Amino acid sequence: MAAVRRMFGVAAPLRWFLMAMLAATLAACTTPKPIEGASADAFSRIGRFAITVNEESGKQNAVQGGFSWSDDGRHYVLDLTNPLGSTEARVEGRPGAASLTKADGTRLVADNPDALAEEALGSSMPVSGLRDWLRGKLAATPEATEVSRDELGRPAAFEQGGWRARLSRYDTLGPQLLVLERQEPGRRIMLRLVVNQP
């Protein structure tokens, strides 16, 4: 009996640690769900995002989770999920209007989806640019600069709307890796999106 107590007394912290590590690993692998109710012809992408903000003071903040994107050309929806897969916020937009609905039901409305995404995450996220960038295209405005293309003529790197973008790992729908950087007063933001394999 003493041997059993010793075994469980010593092994329990290790067991809890391993269970916590397993839970963290499973959470990191949680795949976001497709947008419910999206039309069959809508352009869709699902994946993971990580935002890192480096402050001039040396402080670093990071947010990560999953994303689901659906865009039928008139209406788009972006769901942002936490690492456990729960939806934290939904950004919806159509010409001239955008809304943000948080997990607690709070709803904000604006004409700028980027500002709404920043409200949800606490950091900039170029929702308006993603409509084209996820397809491997340059947005119509503002004009992109410093554009370089891969051997098939697809955008590989460019600067647009204050973001420096690198697109790679293309499949038939667009890039599967987007690395976006933005310099703002007192901070530098890096956003990495990895699209799940179809």
Side-chain angles (χ1 to χ4, degrees):
M1 188 68 174
V4 171
R5 275 199 302 270
R6 278 197 308 273
M7 182 179 78
F8 281 101
V10 172
L14 178 60
R15 212 172 37 242
W16 284 111
F17 174 76
L18 293 174
M19 288 173 64
M21 291 300 292
L22 177 61
T25 302
L26 290 175
C29 296
T30 301
T31 302
K33 298 175 184 173
I35 304 290
E36 289 184 21
S39 62
D41 62 343
F43 173 81
S44 299
R45 289 302 235 181
I46 296 173
R48 306 209 55 80
F49 73 87
I51 298 176
T52 306
V53 180
N54 293 298
E55 305 283 349
E56 209 169 59
S57 64
K59 183 180 175 185
Q60 186 180 77
N61 297 309
V63 178
Q64 59 184 340
F67 74 90
S68 296
W69 176 271
S70 175
D71 185 354
D72 64 11
R74 301 170 303 282
H75 173 242
Y76 62 86
V77 179
L78 170 64
D79 280 351
L80 300 171
T81 62
N82 64 28
L84 296 175
S86 300
T87 301
E88 291 294 316
R90 168 171 281 192
V91 179
E92 295 185 73
R94 58 186 77 249
S99 66
L100 165 71
T101 306
K102 295 184 178 180
D104 64 4
T106 305
R107 190 167 185 269
L108 303 172
V109 179
D111 57 0
N112 181 351
D114 297 12
L116 291 176
E118 183 166 3
E119 171 73 23
L121 296 169
S123 296
S124 296
M125 188 167 188
V127 178
S128 53
L130 288 176
R131 293 194 82 178
D132 294 297
W133 301 345
L134 282 167
R135 289 180 163 94
K137 299 178 180 178
L138 302 175
T141 58
E143 184 178 351
T145 60
E146 300 181 38
V147 179
S148 65
R149 298 182 179 274
D150 66 13
E151 64 280 358
L152 297 178
R154 302 170 298 199
F158 54 89
E159 196 163 318
Q160 190 167 40
W163 290 88
R164 179 74 187 156
R166 287 177 282 140
L167 281 51
S168 60
R169 298 185 195 165
Y170 276 84
D171 63 12
T172 56
L173 296 178
Q176 292 184 336
L177 176 62
L178 297 87
V179 179
L180 311 170
E181 292 183 69
R182 181 183 181 91
Q183 185 67 51
E184 294 183 350
R187 65 179 186 168
R188 186 172 67 87
I189 301 166
M190 176 174 281
L191 169 61
R192 181 183 173 94
L193 295 100
V194 179
V195 174
N196 289 352
Q197 294 283 355

